[in-house]
Amino acid sequence: MLELFEMLFIGFIVGLTGALVPGPMLFVTIDGTLKKGWTAGPEVFLGHAIIESAVLVLILLGMNTLVGEREMSFISVAGGIVLIIFGIMTIRGAKASAAELHGQDKVVSNSLIAGIVTSASNPYFWLWWLAAGSALVLESMKLGMVAVVFFIVGHWLADLGWFTAVSLSFSRGRGMFSPKTYRHILVSCGLFLILFGSWFAIG
């Protein structure tokens, strides 16, 4: 039983170190929170978890060994383009969202889709899971499927905790933002997504 809780702890620490690194998911969480409130964080996480569940199944089926340098290069270019488009959409919608600052229930923002898109389009997400992540999953498999479940639950608890904390923090302060400040924050999020996308596409 102690070994299972060790896997839970390892999953949590590994997940936390990944979540704390600024990336596309952080910026869509901030963007979603400013548009719809604190629930954006858990929704972004849920989208992320859906993609991770699919990757986990692929790893357990041994598909991680079939992904080579050419496939990773394609993921980088395609993912970068998607993030650039996502960033442009965020910037274009910033003015309209700022105009709705005092009527935020009217602002539509699908944070679940944002979590799916930013995870699936991030080549480093795939690289980590197909390398370090798969090694950890296969190691936990030596203890059985229950150990795999403990590892992934620990991993998800870290992600959920961090992105919920981020969304709670920004949702409490969003009422103090002027429309101009609000718009600038959204534009900054969009610019960061474009920068990430460009880095992925040409890297």
Side-chain angles (χ1 to χ4, degrees):
M1 191 66 181
L2 182 60
E3 291 176 323
L4 295 179
F5 283 103
E6 286 179 357
M7 293 310 302
L8 182 73
F9 178 74
I10 291 172
F12 181 82
I13 295 300
V14 168
L16 191 60
T17 55
L20 290 175
V21 177
M25 278 182 61
L26 174 64
F27 298 110
V28 296
T29 298
I30 295 171
D31 175 68
T33 300
L34 293 176
K35 290 176 180 176
K36 64 185 296 182
W38 74 270
T39 58
E43 288 176 13
V44 168
F45 157 75
L46 183 57
H48 177 68
I50 288 172
I51 295 296
E52 284 193 324
S53 297
V55 174
L56 182 62
V57 171
L58 292 177
I59 290 172
L60 294 175
L61 292 175
M63 297 296 288
N64 57 303
T65 58
L66 301 179
V67 179
E69 186 176 338
R70 185 173 62 179
E71 288 79 9
M72 282 305 304
S73 178
F74 173 78
I75 291 172
S76 295
V77 174
I81 292 172
V82 170
L83 285 179
I84 290 170
I85 293 172
F86 213 76
I88 292 172
M89 290 172 61
T90 298
I91 293 173
R92 292 185 63 181
K95 186 174 182 179
S97 296
E100 295 284 355
L101 181 61
H102 300 294
Q104 301 215 8
D105 290 339
K106 298 178 182 179
V107 178
V108 177
S109 177
N110 197 323
S111 297
L112 174 66
I113 298 299
I116 292 174
V117 170
T118 51
S119 297
S121 61
N122 187 341
Y124 291 96
F125 166 85
W126 294 97
L127 187 62
W128 187 89
W129 269 107
L130 296 174
S134 62
L136 289 167
V137 169
L138 295 175
E139 184 65 27
S140 63
M141 268 292 290
K142 295 178 181 178
L143 301 173
M145 276 303 299
V146 176
V148 175
V149 171
F150 270 66
F151 172 77
I152 198 68
V153 166
H155 186 84
W156 283 345
L157 285 174
D159 286 341
L160 177 61
W162 171 245
F163 289 109
T164 300
V166 169
S167 58
L168 281 171
S169 176
F170 274 85
S171 68
R172 288 174 180 172
R174 65 179 183 159
M176 297 183 290
F177 295 142
S178 68
K180 184 177 180 180
T181 301
Y182 181 81
R183 184 172 67 253
H184 286 166
I185 293 174
L186 294 184
V187 169
S188 297
C189 289
L191 287 174
F192 273 111
L193 289 175
I194 292 173
L195 288 173
F196 271 108
S198 300
W199 183 31
F200 292 160
I202 66 177

